[in-house]
Amino acid sequence: MRKVIGVLLFLIHGTVFSQTRPNIVLFLVDDMGWQDCSVPFWKELTPLNKIYHTPNMERLAAEGMKFTNAYATPVCTPTRSSLMSGMNAAHHGITNWTSPKKNNSTDDTDAEMQPALWKLNGLSPQPGIEKTTYANTFPSILKKAGYFTIHVGKAHWASMGTPGADPKNMGFIVNIAGHAGGHPQSYLGEDNYGNMPGKAQPQAVPDLEAYFGTDTFLTEALTKEALNALDAPIQNKQPFFISMAHYAVHTPIMLDKRFVQKYFDAGMDSTEAKYAALVEGMDKSLGDLMNYLKQKKVDQNTIIIFMSDNGGLSLSPLRGGAAHTQNLPLKAGKGSVYEGGIREPMIVKWPGVIKPKTIANQYIIAEDFFPTILEMAKVTHYSTVQTIDGKSFLPILKNDKYTDTSRILIWHYPNKWQSKDGPGINYFSAIRKGAWKMIYSMRTGKKELYNLAEDIGEQKDLSSAYPQKVNSLSILLSNQLRKWDAPMPFLKSTNKKVPMPDELH
Ligand code: CA
């Protein structure tokens, strides 16, 4: 009898627990394009969808909700800072990726433009750190609320020598392999992931000594470490948040021998085949994690959010670049404010809340994760030093038909990415409201207008057909940039900041 009561109490307790404190997995992939998977995120299966094999993403989509209009920023650190702070990139001002080295701008020089005064040392959990933005992170709030917080993989929130470079300062109890580096020196255990004796490399991946000299691919090593780290909170019945942030599928595109052969056999060129294998290795990690949660019997109480931090790398063919991925039907890729640079593959699974196999078309953006994750964790009372720009997408998770066409989203990239000058890459801002998107070139003052409902590829510039629309979006964009005191580049010819879009007619 006592045993029965015990079991009943456990069940009741277990139920209450599960209703109040779900576990949360944020599975963040690096540089993965919208079409770099076998899950179709467009209205039809594309040739790219047919190249890739991501069965575990398919499984996640079958068990959860697929977002067809999920956005990030054009490059790594701005998105990661938006995720952590709940602020838009134009607001936190970390508009380009941070260098591992402190006070080192990653802007390339330009004949006409002087770089914007952006926060080039990144995000900081402490005030008073030069060239950083001080903000409270959502993992630190979760930790205070009793969550066991784990970071695995790429961090890239801030430069070395500043507090934000260390995930443990950003609200994580455990950190494995996260630091100031933005890509791995090597994916290979045989290379010690870049930690070669006598050759200190800023991008060498830390913390994985146990795999040095083995044939363990980085994605696999990180997954094993993540599952090990989850044992403790699961055993202790403590709710957990894990940031599973893969270095994959960022460059260097290296050969993962577990998966590459079938892509070679399919006749893909060497880089394309290696890239597809990198994607499949990431997908295996997702599957391993899902299997582990099921085996530990916590899958029904665990939310999984799948996301990428910017669009797939796609160098302009005009520059002779060997594109190892492209984003068709989207235009351009990483670095660009066109859809190929910012639209991301996103899936959310939440047993008991999200209806399986649903599709949400409402647009959302990286800063929305902050309030959403805290709401998921039922953390309602918290204060932050920063104003949160993100909006919880819980209403969408509960209703896939949820629509809000009045919301505006903003992208702001007042930077220069090395010498690459592909479409929409250097010195651009953009705004979306409903189906309309306006793109503003800070260099030329040109404004383009697209209707994404009819023209997802942004091929037909409607700016001369709808001047009123251009005007109203210019005002909305400018007002928001002014309100956020967004960093703007300077014109070398006048030594003045470039005009706001509504100052040009
Ligand atoms: Ca990235």
Side-chain angles (χ1 to χ4, degrees):
M1 188 63 185
R2 189 181 290 169
K3 198 174 171 190
V4 172
I5 292 169
V7 169
L8 279 174
L9 280 174
F10 172 77
L11 283 174
I12 293 163
H13 182 255
T15 308
V16 171
F17 202 75
S18 73
Q19 282 169 353
T20 53
R21 314 270 275 191
N23 306 308
I24 303 165
V25 176
L26 175 55
F27 194 98
L28 186 67
V29 189
D30 195 6
D31 281 15
M32 180 184 171
W34 194 55
Q35 293 297 305
D36 296 347
C37 55
S38 50
V39 176
F41 281 89
W42 196 35
K43 59 183 181 182
E44 61 196 53
L45 203 67
T46 62
L48 287 167
N49 294 146
K50 291 175 190 164
I51 288 175
Y52 297 104
H53 296 271
T54 56
N56 295 296
M57 283 182 70
E58 290 177 39
R59 181 176 151 202
L60 191 66
E63 295 174 8
M65 181 180 283
K66 189 166 78 170
F67 281 73
T68 60
N69 282 262
Y71 289 105
T73 79
V75 293
C76 310
T77 310
T79 294
R80 288 158 193 268
S81 299
S82 291
L83 285 171
M84 292 295 273
S85 69
M87 300 161 87
N88 183 273
H91 185 193
H92 60 56
I94 307 153
T95 52
N96 205 3
W97 68 77
T98 49
S99 164
K101 225 170 98 188
K102 198 173 161 184
N103 293 331
N104 186 31
S105 177
T106 49
D107 278 294
D108 196 17
T109 51
D110 188 90
E112 300 164 326
M113 312 285 277
Q114 197 70 38
L117 300 171
W118 63 286
K119 299 298 173 76
L120 54 85
N121 285 331
L123 197 64
S124 175
Q126 290 169 26
I129 310 295
E130 62 175 323
K131 293 172 186 159
T132 66
T133 295
Y134 168 43
N136 303 116
T137 67
F138 79 81
S140 68
I141 298 168
L142 286 177
K143 185 174 136 186
K144 255 186 230 157
Y147 269 74
F148 193 83
T149 51
I150 304 167
H151 176 82
V152 181
K154 169 164 158 170
H156 203 196
W157 300 301
S159 300
M160 255 189 272
T162 73
D166 183 351
K168 286 191 175 172
N169 294 331
M170 299 290 262
F172 292 98
I173 295 168
V174 174
N175 167 43
I176 299 154
H179 66 145
H183 63 82
Q185 191 67 36
S186 169
Y187 279 98
L188 304 180
E190 292 92 332
D191 295 343
N192 301 348
Y193 312 109
N195 298 276
M196 298 315 278
K199 283 190 248 168
Q201 298 278 7
Q203 308 284 3
V205 182
D207 303 330
L208 299 173
E209 287 78 2
Y211 306 89
F212 283 9
T214 72
D215 66 350
T216 315
F217 204 74
L218 176 59
T219 311
E220 184 76 8
L222 293 175
T223 308
K224 285 184 166 164
E225 288 299 301
L227 302 190
N228 285 342
L230 284 172
D231 283 345
I234 291 174
Q235 249 163 37
N236 299 334
K237 302 203 185 314
Q238 185 178 1
F240 63 79
F241 168 73
I242 182 166
S243 154
M244 178 75 242
H246 277 294
Y247 281 96
V249 296
H250 197 293
T251 54
I253 309 301
M254 296 178 79
L255 189 144
D256 186 340
K257 61 187 175 194
R258 299 173 299 166
F259 301 106
V260 80
Q261 193 56 45
K262 71 163 151 305
Y263 301 104
F264 283 142
D265 293 346
M268 291 165 74
D269 81 31
S270 172
T271 309
E272 291 287 350
K274 283 187 227 163
Y275 182 75
L278 203 49
V279 168
E280 191 169 346
M282 171 284 296
D283 182 79
K284 180 199 180 265
S285 168
L286 176 65
D288 289 352
L289 186 63
M290 289 171 78
N291 293 342
Y292 168 90
L293 295 170
K294 197 164 185 188
Q295 181 209 328
K296 296 282 176 182
K297 299 188 171 58
V298 295
D299 58 316
Q300 291 304 305
N301 189 32
T302 302
I303 300 165
I304 301 177
I305 309 172
F306 181 102
M307 182 67 173
S308 172
D309 73 338
N310 52 251
L313 184 63
S314 179
L315 306 184
S316 163
L318 292 172
R319 298 186 54 84
H324 59 75
T325 172
Q326 49 179 338
N327 302 290
L328 291 173
L330 307 183
K331 183 168 168 180
K334 180 176 180 179
S336 176
V337 298
Y338 287 118
E339 296 288 300
I342 55 176
R343 195 181 284 226
E344 309 305 330
M346 175 177 165
I347 307 168
V348 187
K349 177 193 169 186
W350 188 354
V353 175
I354 293 176
K355 237 167 50 188
K357 223 175 178 171
T358 41
I359 299 171
N361 295 315
Q362 175 62 38
Y363 47 89
I364 66 118
I365 190 164
E367 54 263 31
D368 297 344
F369 284 55
F370 185 115
T372 307
I373 290 174
L374 289 175
E375 198 178 345
M376 286 169 160
K378 297 217 166 20
V379 181
T380 47
H381 293 91
Y382 59 89
S383 61
T384 52
V385 292
Q386 73 274 25
T387 307
I388 306 297
D389 305 313
K391 196 168 170 258
S392 170
F393 49 80
L394 225 66
I396 308 172
L397 301 179
K398 291 176 177 171
N399 170 19
D400 55 316
K401 304 286 184 294
Y402 178 95
T403 310
D404 175 6
T405 54
S406 67
R407 187 177 184 199
I408 63 168
L409 298 186
I410 284 173
W411 297 269
H412 188 60
Y413 192 58
N415 302 86
K416 178 150 182 165
W417 177 14
Q418 295 172 3
S419 296
K420 296 177 186 72
D421 225 344
I425 284 188
N426 299 316
Y427 311 111
F428 281 88
S429 291
I431 179 168
R432 177 173 177 179
K433 186 180 182 202
W436 293 99
K437 182 174 168 193
M438 190 199 71
I439 289 171
Y440 173 59
S441 166
M442 291 179 240
R443 186 195 293 276
T444 64
K446 191 180 173 212
K447 298 170 189 172
E448 297 165 40
L449 181 73
Y450 298 101
N451 184 324
L452 296 176
E454 290 158 11
D455 178 22
I456 200 173
E458 296 166 288
Q459 296 298 315
K460 199 174 168 200
D461 179 4
L462 300 172
S463 57
S464 35
Y466 296 92
Q468 297 296 348
K469 185 58 78 181
V470 173
N471 197 36
S472 66
L473 289 174
S474 289
I475 292 168
L476 283 172
L477 174 59
S478 305
N479 284 344
Q480 199 58 60
L481 293 178
R482 276 190 281 263
K483 190 178 156 199
W484 284 332
D485 197 15
M488 304 297 282
F490 299 80
L491 290 167
K492 281 185 174 168
S493 59
T494 61
N495 216 15
K496 282 187 180 152
K497 278 184 186 174
V498 298
M500 288 291 177
D502 67 351
E503 292 164 4
L504 295 166
H505 296 286

